[in-house]
Amino acid sequence: MAVFPTSDVPPIQTAHWLMKPPSAIRGTWQEPKKAGEWLGLQLAECAPRFASEEDREATRLVLLVSAAVERLTWGGDVSLGHYLKGTVFHSVALVTCSPNRAAPDLPCPARLA
């Protein structure tokens, strides 16, 4: 467990991303829609390499982003993972923090400038 906070390995519980150092933060947003836009860009960038043809479908990606925005709107976290061609796994998470519903004792990380 001592290595966990500094490793790139995704946590078992999405809220535990809040235990990672600020350098692990890829962005912060006040509005769920903005976070969803970022998520959409991340998925679009990796989609051509998704191992599953079904996961590459544009409609599916749009639905994933829409569901993520809805979940963030009520304070839920989002964690997605896709196998890429080869042996790589792509993981992306959006974690609410004000405080987090699943882990209210974990502090919010420092915001990026």
Side-chain angles (χ1 to χ4, degrees):
M1 180 78 171
V3 175
F4 165 73
T6 58
S7 76
D8 290 335
V9 176
I12 292 174
Q13 186 175 2
T14 304
H16 287 174
W17 275 110
L18 297 174
M19 298 167 66
K20 298 283 190 174
S23 61
I25 299 170
R26 300 295 177 249
T28 60
W29 303 272
Q30 295 294 317
E31 298 298 324
K33 185 176 179 183
K34 293 292 184 187
E37 290 172 4
W38 176 84
L39 176 62
L41 292 173
Q42 299 306 301
L43 293 175
E45 182 179 312
C46 288
R49 299 184 322 215
F50 287 169
S52 167
E53 185 177 329
E54 294 163 348
D55 287 342
R56 293 190 295 263
E57 292 178 5
T59 301
R60 179 176 170 77
L61 297 174
V62 168
L63 291 173
L64 282 173
V65 171
S66 178
V69 170
E70 182 179 332
R71 180 173 289 247
L72 292 169
T73 299
W74 57 259
D77 298 328
V78 176
S79 184
L80 300 173
H82 295 90
Y83 284 99
L84 303 182
K85 295 174 185 173
T87 59
V88 179
F89 187 76
H90 175 257
S91 175
V92 64
L94 294 167
V95 183
T96 58
C97 186
S98 51
N100 185 278
R101 286 181 178 218
D105 295 336
L106 290 177
C108 295
R111 294 199 183 276
L112 297 175

